[in-house]
Amino acid sequence: MASTTQAATFSFVQETLLFYLNGKRVELLASEIDPNQTLAEFVRGRGLSGTKIGCSEGGCGACTVMISSWVPETNAVEHRSVAACLLPLAYVDHMLVTTVEGIAPAIGMHPIQQHIAAKHGTQCGYCTPGVVMSVYSTAMRNPSLSMSDVEQCLDGNLCRCTGYRSILEAARSIAVDYTPSSDGKLSKAAAVTPVCARTFVQNAVTFPDELRQPLRPLRLIGKSAAWYRPVALSELLDLKCAVPNAEVVAGKHSFPEHALEKPQVISGNTEIGYQARYHPRPPGSYQSFVSTTAIPELKAVKWTEQGVSVGAGTTINGLIKTLKNPSPSIGTPNVHQQEGFSAICHLLQYFANNQVRDMGTIGGSLVTCDPLSDLYPALIAMNSVVRLASKAGQRELLLDDFVLGENKTALKPDEVVMSVFIPFSQENEFVETFKESKRRVDAQAMVNGGFRARLQQREGKWCVEKCVLAVGALGSRAGLRMKSTESFLEGKEISLETLSSTSAVMQEELKASVVHSRGAAAYRVSVACSMLCRFFASIAAKKGITDVAERLHSALPDYSHPVHTGTQDYADPSPGSSVGSPVPHMAAEKHAKGTAEFVADIPIPQGCLYAAYTLSKRAHARILRIDKSTALAVPGVVAVIDASDIPGINLLGSIATDEEVLASKEVVFYAQPVAIVVAESHHAAHTAALQVNVTYEDLASIQTIEEAVASNSFLCEEKLLEKGNANDVFKSWPADQIVSGTIRSGGQEHFYIEPQAALVVPSSGNYLVRVTSQNPSKMQRAVASVLGIPANRVESRMERIGGGFGGKQDRPQFLAAACALASHITERPVKMVLERDQDMQITGQRHEFKTDYKVAYSRDGTIEAVSLEMYSNGGCSLDLSPAVMEVAMFAFDCCYRFPAIRITGKCCRTHRVSCTAYRGFGKPQAMVVTEGVIDRVARACGIAVQNVRDANVLRMGDKLTDGTPVEEQFFACWEPLRQKFAQKQKEVLQFNSENIYRKRGVSLVPSRNNIGFEADCLNQGGCIVNVYLDGTVFVSHGGSEMGQGLSTKVAQVTADALHIPLSLVFVGATATDRVPNTTATAASTGTDLNAGAALDAATKLRARLDAVADEAGIDRADWNKVVSEAYGRRVWLSEIGHTVFEKFAYDWHTKVGRSTLYHIWGAALAVVELDVLTGHSRTLSVDVIQDLGRSVNPAIDVGQVEGGIMQGIGLYTLEEFSWAKDGHLRTRNVSTYKIPTHDDTPTEMNVSLLKSSRSALGVHGQKSPSEVGVQLSACVLSAIKDAVYASCPSNTTHIQIDTPATCEKIRAACPSHF
């Protein structure tokens, strides 16, 4: 019993959770919910699977929903877009929750959904519902939004497929300033009527009267957690004073003793939800949460003549809105008064993402006191004051004094942050805020800052009277004041000399403060100094200090959000033919409405269990003991399985079976699966998986290529590829015309938005396997092998996957086998869905490459001989590493005429997860080497890099390394862009002559792609086509639909061959009992193999039906009548199709064969703008001319090109792995691994498909677009290099920038100005 002095009484009168879900009332008893459950988990459990889970961090946008609540102060409904994967279910009490399923009419689609679907704004469709809901909720909040507003609202929505251009073009059609003339050819062809948001927002949401009633205190006591929602500040303070053993009485109810164990105050749950995800409490511990969402005092906004006080419960978006809209009660503030407010808003637009800004609050950010906080530097610069409240009263502190250290504040245990007061800026006071991060939007700061200076005029010169320089993400505390620099600057004139001397002082102060453990210390210091330059530039521009303004004009902060545009050009389809028509993806409407079913969405069979991996905590070690006892004691756990439980073979693989499903005696990479926990719930399985205790004996670990080479650790024999005699050339060539060096290209995570998942259902010794896989038959064979049963007892079926890019080609076999093993042992259905961080650790990545090169060249830039030693980090097993290396070796010559080439390729064995297939399959790595060699020769010769390209580019009659000739299609791609390059180059040179701190670069690169597997047996495809009596047609092929539009193209080819409308054709799921021995949808073969098989089947069917029509005297065009007649004549209305490629594969022993079935040519021209002070770049334009033969579907093909380009931009400039010394991957979710967002899309993206091309070997003359875009994006990397060279014209030496060319690497390559 607690002492009476500690006891507190609360009036918690509501003990059920009440909210509306898509207009339907939901009321839950406390016993029916778990306060730890998220909103996403709940709605998905209700069958609303349009709300996807992609990251569980609130960073991918797939789970976006809208929540609406009544605001008594404004007598209005407030709409917010939120990340449902972070939001606790209990948070939405007395709110209206709207998911993607809830916005469409009973029949048809919402205008946003319609435009997304019709304008090709979806490919795999996994991210699409989240995109729709982000745009919808933003429109509901602001019906008068502009096109720029629409684009900015998508900063928290990731897409790995489309390249974003089509999404942005479709979404902005609801904007007030939208005009159809801004659309490209594809959107115009969709002919969708634009609908302004102002039109559909009216009466779009019916807010229930029940939810308008005053809120009551809420108390929900669950088995493992408690949730409290006080409605007054006094109640919150009572809870803060409560102790774990206090007896707390609410009415007639008593809280259990553990109910208030260290209660955590919840505002938006953006930080606590993240921490709970990665630092879960041990099983059996109890948590208490206190929500502040209903406390009016914490949401109060009070304007005075001095400034504004904003309640700590105000969201970040709410703060932005407040600062942009001063209360009429104080009149209209002067421009100078809003200087600081504008600066704060500029910074906060880059605070996380729109969903987090709509959830996260001022108080949550201040109490967390993260040194990386974006809020602190801005508020400290403004001399903001924080108000704290406790039962004893209130007190105020300068925010700068509130911070005591890293994640440490002056907040007492019994206090809460009540509000923050932000003063107006004064006359002659200037404020700027800054943020630099790995990615411009939705990324933690590498360094940020808030600078304020008050000027006074002395002897006609403007001098600094007082200043505050607060820098964040650099030191050990949030918003670190540069006090020495402030003291030095005060009293000094705003001049270039002052900037130089102050920068020197600041640099020393920063060096003494920087936290080195966060990495990139030198970069952080350099960028922090550049913020001072920008500050001076801003002040000089505003005050008209001419000499400073003119010198620094290109250093001014850039807050612009240009609207993205693009054009498309392609051959118009032949009248009456489905082939060549830019029809939308066949599942586009399902994607947009959220009804497309993915593996994780499949309704759970009765008695279904959930499985989770226990992952190793060593990179290389012997397993001495696996202790399952603690895990088995976790409630809900059914079984813990290890390698000894496998009835079949514990080895799987790609080229060879050399990797264990579960580590038996030795782990060979960090996070290797060691055990499988099977439980009654997903949460229980993952909780218990952490409780499996494994005892290890550490062994020596090899992590890098250098370590592998030193240890002679390789996966396979060395490969050798030669053309001419490079060794002889080097022997005779002048030494001063030979250069050598090393080029590195980093790995890349596939980052499909849909994590890998599996569902296995047993039935009388048979198994139905549903896996997120590009290779259904591989899954079938893996399950059969591990279970020790015949393949005919396993059916592998898949309808769609949410992106693959090679990552779901072979690696999912391990997940399929693990899930099947759990099902086999428990004799129950089992579902297994990987968390994002697990997926990234165990499913493999793109190969990291290191290439040592030597080049002989002539003075005019002609390359005479090249010798390469290529090394890849293959990881712990063979996988597909040899094939990736072989493709890279053949891809090196690209579109250049190198007369003598000698390439050796070695695949290193290391103790990392096995690297695997990835879109481009070695060609992107080779492209880096090719263009790197071209660049090196250009610098050695002292001539422009484009001139070296011109000197070495292919000419008609030339042959490639494999002996195949160049085709005229290449020149049709190259020559028009070569002419455009000349004009772009003039514009770039003009810009560079006028700007010091911003430089532009331009580059044109050629591209050549291959198609087909090296193993001839894989170059075959199968299909079945059934015709039904109502005239409809069913098709099932052997490929995997992963967003690339394969099934749409198959349907188009089938309809064309049968001479029927496309609407009559339906393409069903791929299943091994329909089409056996399927080939992986990979190597750019999907369309040619599967549409080729469909063409074969449909052609034979059509011939059979034409014969019937002719015999019966029926018009062949009367489809239904012909079908009926055929059935009456007992003609079989089904056909199997099969197609094979002609044999072409290169034999590495005899050196005979080709590297590809056919060549796919292209070229791309990029212009970028580089911020020399920070190393950040923006792609201004990309122009592409691509040879895709006779495109089956130009809309899909253009989307594939654009998506590949964005994936390549990520590879070459942004996406970076960080590996710890012990072998674990640090960058394993959206918070630490950054893929491109819509903001990284080229401002102008123009894609043209050759109109006169036709492949002799592709289906209907088509060529595959699947991988071409990745290599084309090398133009952006080369343009960045061009801009770097422009930043230091006096430096004529070569600058090597390894990929990814991150802002840190680029900044290091640029000259230092301070």
XYZ file of all heavy atoms in Angstrom, residues 644-693:
366
model
N 18.764 -29.101 -36.413
C 18.596 -30.534 -36.137
C 17.180 -31.013 -36.424
O 16.942 -32.221 -36.521
C 18.960 -30.830 -34.678
O 18.046 -30.174 -33.800
N 16.241 -30.098 -36.583
C 14.845 -30.467 -36.838
C 14.530 -30.609 -38.322
O 13.408 -30.974 -38.674
C 13.914 -29.405 -36.236
C 14.058 -29.291 -34.729
O 13.986 -30.338 -34.055
O 14.256 -28.167 -34.233
N 15.486 -30.339 -39.176
C 15.225 -30.372 -40.621
C 15.203 -31.825 -41.106
O 16.191 -32.550 -40.971
C 16.300 -29.566 -41.382
C 16.197 -28.080 -41.007
C 16.165 -29.753 -42.892
C 17.263 -27.205 -41.615
N 14.089 -32.260 -41.714
C 14.001 -33.668 -42.167
C 14.723 -33.934 -43.476
O 15.072 -35.077 -43.768
C 12.490 -33.878 -42.329
C 11.953 -32.519 -42.628
C 12.805 -31.540 -41.874
N 14.933 -32.911 -44.270
C 15.588 -33.079 -45.567
C 17.009 -32.551 -45.556
O 17.784 -32.802 -44.637
N 17.339 -31.781 -46.573
C 18.700 -31.257 -46.748
C 18.756 -29.806 -46.283
O 17.939 -28.982 -46.709
C 19.124 -31.365 -48.230
C 19.093 -32.826 -48.682
C 20.509 -30.770 -48.443
C 19.310 -33.002 -50.171
N 19.723 -29.520 -45.457
C 19.870 -28.174 -44.889
C 20.793 -27.307 -45.750
O 21.607 -26.548 -45.240
C 20.419 -28.263 -43.453
C 20.469 -26.909 -42.758
O 19.718 -26.003 -43.093
N 21.364 -26.783 -41.797
N 20.677 -27.425 -47.040
C 21.505 -26.628 -47.945
C 20.682 -26.192 -49.148
O 19.954 -26.997 -49.743
C 22.719 -27.420 -48.438
C 23.890 -27.618 -47.477
C 24.913 -28.562 -48.093
C 24.546 -26.286 -47.143
N 20.802 -24.920 -49.477
C 20.181 -24.376 -50.674
C 21.201 -23.481 -51.372
O 22.262 -23.209 -50.832
C 18.924 -23.571 -50.310
C 17.760 -24.331 -49.692
C 16.658 -23.363 -49.258
C 17.195 -25.365 -50.658
N 20.836 -23.017 -52.551
C 21.744 -22.123 -53.259
C 21.242 -21.809 -54.646
O 20.128 -22.188 -55.027
N 22.068 -21.139 -55.409
C 21.713 -20.744 -56.772
C 22.505 -21.555 -57.783
O 22.002 -22.523 -58.356
C 21.976 -19.244 -56.964
O 21.180 -18.491 -56.080
N 23.773 -21.219 -57.969
C 24.631 -21.996 -58.857
C 25.052 -23.292 -58.175
O 25.185 -24.342 -58.810
C 25.861 -21.158 -59.263
C 25.402 -19.949 -60.095
C 26.866 -21.984 -60.052
C 26.506 -18.977 -60.424
N 25.258 -23.217 -56.869
C 25.612 -24.398 -56.070
C 24.822 -24.362 -54.777
O 24.444 -23.292 -54.297
C 27.115 -24.405 -55.771
N 24.557 -25.536 -54.210
C 23.854 -25.599 -52.919
C 24.903 -25.561 -51.812
O 25.403 -26.598 -51.371
C 22.999 -26.879 -52.823
O 23.833 -28.011 -53.122
C 21.854 -26.838 -53.799
N 25.205 -24.351 -51.348
C 26.319 -24.189 -50.417
C 26.004 -23.282 -49.233
O 26.906 -22.817 -48.543
C 27.544 -23.635 -51.155
C 27.283 -22.260 -51.770
O 26.105 -21.866 -51.895
O 28.258 -21.593 -52.137
N 24.717 -23.025 -48.995
C 24.348 -22.159 -47.870
C 23.252 -22.825 -47.053
O 22.255 -23.304 -47.605
C 23.883 -20.793 -48.378
C 23.616 -19.805 -47.259
C 23.271 -18.415 -47.770
O 23.567 -18.107 -48.935
O 22.705 -17.621 -46.985
N 23.418 -22.828 -45.740
C 22.471 -23.501 -44.864
C 21.208 -22.666 -44.650
O 21.253 -21.441 -44.570
C 23.109 -23.800 -43.514
C 24.198 -24.858 -43.571
C 24.702 -25.257 -42.195
O 24.928 -24.357 -41.355
O 24.868 -26.470 -41.964
N 20.099 -23.365 -44.536
C 18.830 -22.719 -44.208
C 18.883 -22.197 -42.780
O 18.482 -21.066 -42.486
C 17.656 -23.699 -44.389
C 16.336 -23.054 -43.974
C 17.590 -24.180 -45.833
N 19.354 -23.053 -41.867
C 19.623 -22.668 -40.487
C 21.044 -23.093 -40.160
O 21.431 -24.236 -40.422
C 18.644 -23.341 -39.524
C 17.171 -22.928 -39.636
C 16.312 -23.782 -38.705
C 16.980 -21.448 -39.331
N 21.821 -22.181 -39.618
C 23.201 -22.506 -39.276
C 23.224 -23.678 -38.305
O 22.516 -23.681 -37.302
C 23.889 -21.297 -38.665
N 24.035 -24.678 -38.609
C 24.069 -25.885 -37.778
C 25.253 -25.896 -36.817
O 25.077 -25.982 -35.602
C 24.099 -27.131 -38.657
O 25.214 -27.076 -39.548
N 26.441 -25.778 -37.359
C 27.635 -25.843 -36.522
C 28.414 -24.528 -36.511
O 29.149 -24.253 -35.576
C 28.554 -26.963 -37.014
C 27.929 -28.351 -36.933
C 28.878 -29.409 -37.481
C 28.248 -30.797 -37.419
N 29.172 -31.837 -37.975
N 28.216 -23.734 -37.554
C 29.032 -22.531 -37.696
C 28.215 -21.440 -38.372
O 27.486 -21.715 -39.327
C 30.267 -22.873 -38.540
C 31.295 -21.780 -38.672
C 32.503 -22.246 -39.472
O 33.101 -23.290 -39.103
O 32.846 -21.590 -40.471
N 28.300 -20.216 -37.864
C 27.668 -19.087 -38.547
C 28.731 -18.415 -39.413
O 29.898 -18.315 -39.019
C 27.050 -18.071 -37.567
C 25.913 -18.704 -36.805
C 28.075 -17.499 -36.615
N 28.304 -17.983 -40.598
C 29.268 -17.422 -41.543
C 28.939 -15.988 -41.951
O 29.603 -15.424 -42.806
C 29.384 -18.316 -42.797
C 30.062 -19.630 -42.452
C 28.015 -18.557 -43.433
N 27.903 -15.409 -41.352
C 27.686 -13.968 -41.500
C 26.815 -13.477 -40.352
O 26.038 -14.235 -39.771
C 27.071 -13.604 -42.858
C 25.632 -14.024 -43.079
C 24.564 -13.188 -42.790
C 25.337 -15.266 -43.650
C 23.253 -13.555 -43.018
C 24.030 -15.663 -43.893
C 22.985 -14.799 -43.572
N 27.000 -12.216 -40.019
C 26.231 -11.614 -38.942
C 24.760 -11.565 -39.353
O 24.430 -11.161 -40.455
C 26.742 -10.199 -38.677
C 26.343 -9.642 -37.322
C 27.267 -9.569 -36.295
C 25.058 -9.196 -37.082
C 26.937 -9.051 -35.052
C 24.699 -8.682 -35.850
C 25.632 -8.612 -34.838
O 25.279 -8.104 -33.609
N 23.872 -11.992 -38.451
C 22.424 -12.064 -38.680
C 22.019 -13.293 -39.489
O 20.895 -13.368 -40.000
C 21.884 -10.803 -39.338
N 22.890 -14.288 -39.592
C 22.491 -15.544 -40.238
C 21.427 -16.236 -39.385
O 21.555 -16.319 -38.169
C 23.693 -16.476 -40.393
C 23.356 -17.784 -41.121
C 24.578 -18.664 -41.336
O 25.675 -18.342 -40.880
N 24.405 -19.774 -42.027
N 20.355 -16.728 -39.987
C 19.329 -17.425 -39.210
C 19.889 -18.658 -38.503
O 20.561 -19.488 -39.130
C 18.293 -17.818 -40.271
C 18.456 -16.788 -41.343
C 19.935 -16.513 -41.388
N 19.603 -18.739 -37.219
C 20.070 -19.845 -36.394
C 18.902 -20.705 -35.937
O 19.027 -21.920 -35.785
C 20.851 -19.309 -35.168
C 21.235 -20.434 -34.224
C 22.092 -18.557 -35.622
N 17.768 -20.066 -35.719
C 16.583 -20.787 -35.244
C 15.331 -20.094 -35.755
O 15.379 -18.950 -36.228
C 16.581 -20.853 -33.724
N 14.221 -20.814 -35.665
C 12.918 -20.271 -36.044
C 11.991 -20.423 -34.851
O 11.855 -21.524 -34.288
C 12.310 -21.024 -37.245
C 13.284 -21.014 -38.428
C 10.972 -20.423 -37.637
C 12.912 -22.013 -39.517
N 11.366 -19.336 -34.432
C 10.387 -19.382 -33.352
C 8.997 -19.330 -33.970
O 8.716 -18.489 -34.821
C 10.589 -18.210 -32.371
C 9.467 -18.191 -31.335
C 11.941 -18.312 -31.684
N 8.139 -20.236 -33.537
C 6.771 -20.304 -34.042
C 5.817 -20.016 -32.893
O 5.933 -20.606 -31.818
C 6.465 -21.691 -34.643
C 5.142 -21.650 -35.410
C 7.590 -22.147 -35.550
N 4.893 -19.067 -33.120
C 4.018 -18.635 -32.028
C 2.628 -18.306 -32.556
O 2.378 -18.312 -33.764
C 4.630 -17.432 -31.323
N 1.758 -17.984 -31.619
C 0.368 -17.698 -31.967
C 0.186 -16.316 -32.580
O -0.859 -16.025 -33.152
C -0.514 -17.813 -30.711
C -0.555 -19.201 -30.094
C -1.358 -20.195 -30.934
O -2.087 -19.754 -31.861
O -1.271 -21.402 -30.654
N 1.170 -15.442 -32.440
C 1.071 -14.096 -33.014
C 2.427 -13.658 -33.538
O 3.465 -14.170 -33.120
C 0.576 -13.094 -31.965
O 1.575 -12.852 -30.993
N 2.376 -12.700 -34.437
C 3.603 -12.133 -35.006
C 4.448 -11.505 -33.894
O 5.670 -11.695 -33.841
C 3.221 -11.078 -36.052
C 4.368 -10.363 -36.682
N 5.107 -10.885 -37.723
C 4.929 -9.151 -36.405
C 6.054 -10.025 -38.069
N 5.971 -8.965 -37.288
N 3.787 -10.781 -33.006
C 4.510 -10.105 -31.926
C 5.171 -11.107 -30.994
O 6.340 -10.946 -30.606
C 3.545 -9.212 -31.138
C 4.177 -8.499 -29.991
N 5.034 -7.439 -30.152
C 4.094 -8.710 -28.641
C 5.437 -7.008 -28.974
N 4.888 -7.761 -28.045
N 4.446 -12.163 -30.645
C 5.010 -13.170 -29.738
C 6.203 -13.876 -30.372
O 7.212 -14.142 -29.712
C 3.935 -14.189 -29.353
N 6.095 -14.172 -31.666
C 7.198 -14.853 -32.351
C 8.454 -13.997 -32.360
O 9.557 -14.472 -32.069
C 6.781 -15.214 -33.773
N 8.305 -12.714 -32.665
C 9.472 -11.842 -32.731
C 10.020 -11.546 -31.342
O 11.240 -11.410 -31.174
C 9.117 -10.550 -33.467
C 9.096 -10.704 -34.953
N 10.181 -10.428 -35.748
C 8.126 -11.151 -35.790
C 9.878 -10.671 -37.010
N 8.644 -11.116 -37.068
N 9.138 -11.444 -30.367
C 9.608 -11.226 -28.994
C 10.413 -12.429 -28.512
O 11.509 -12.278 -27.953
C 8.411 -10.989 -28.055
O 7.708 -9.813 -28.484
C 8.874 -10.793 -26.622
N 9.878 -13.611 -28.745
C 10.553 -14.827 -28.274
C 11.834 -15.100 -29.049
O 12.789 -15.671 -28.499
C 9.601 -16.015 -28.389
N 11.867 -14.710 -30.325
C 13.078 -14.945 -31.130
C 14.296 -14.260 -30.518
O 15.425 -14.740 -30.650
C 12.857 -14.454 -32.558
N 14.061 -13.161 -29.820
C 15.159 -12.451 -29.166
C 15.598 -13.141 -27.882
O 16.642 -12.793 -27.311
C 14.736 -11.009 -28.845
C 14.385 -10.129 -30.048
C 13.859 -8.778 -29.582
C 15.598 -9.941 -30.953
N 14.792 -14.125 -27.442
C 15.098 -14.805 -26.175
C 15.797 -16.153 -26.371
O 16.090 -16.842 -25.401
C 13.797 -15.021 -25.384
C 13.031 -13.747 -25.099
C 13.875 -12.711 -24.384
O 14.530 -13.011 -23.384
N 13.882 -11.492 -24.906
N 16.037 -16.527 -27.613
C 16.823 -17.734 -27.876
C 18.293 -17.392 -27.624
O 18.840 -16.488 -28.250
C 16.624 -18.237 -29.317
C 17.516 -19.440 -29.587
C 15.157 -18.584 -29.564
N 18.903 -18.089 -26.710
C 20.280 -17.790 -26.308
C 21.254 -18.735 -27.008
O 21.160 -19.954 -26.857
C 20.426 -17.908 -24.792
C 19.574 -16.897 -24.049
O 19.615 -15.715 -24.362
N 18.777 -17.363 -23.089
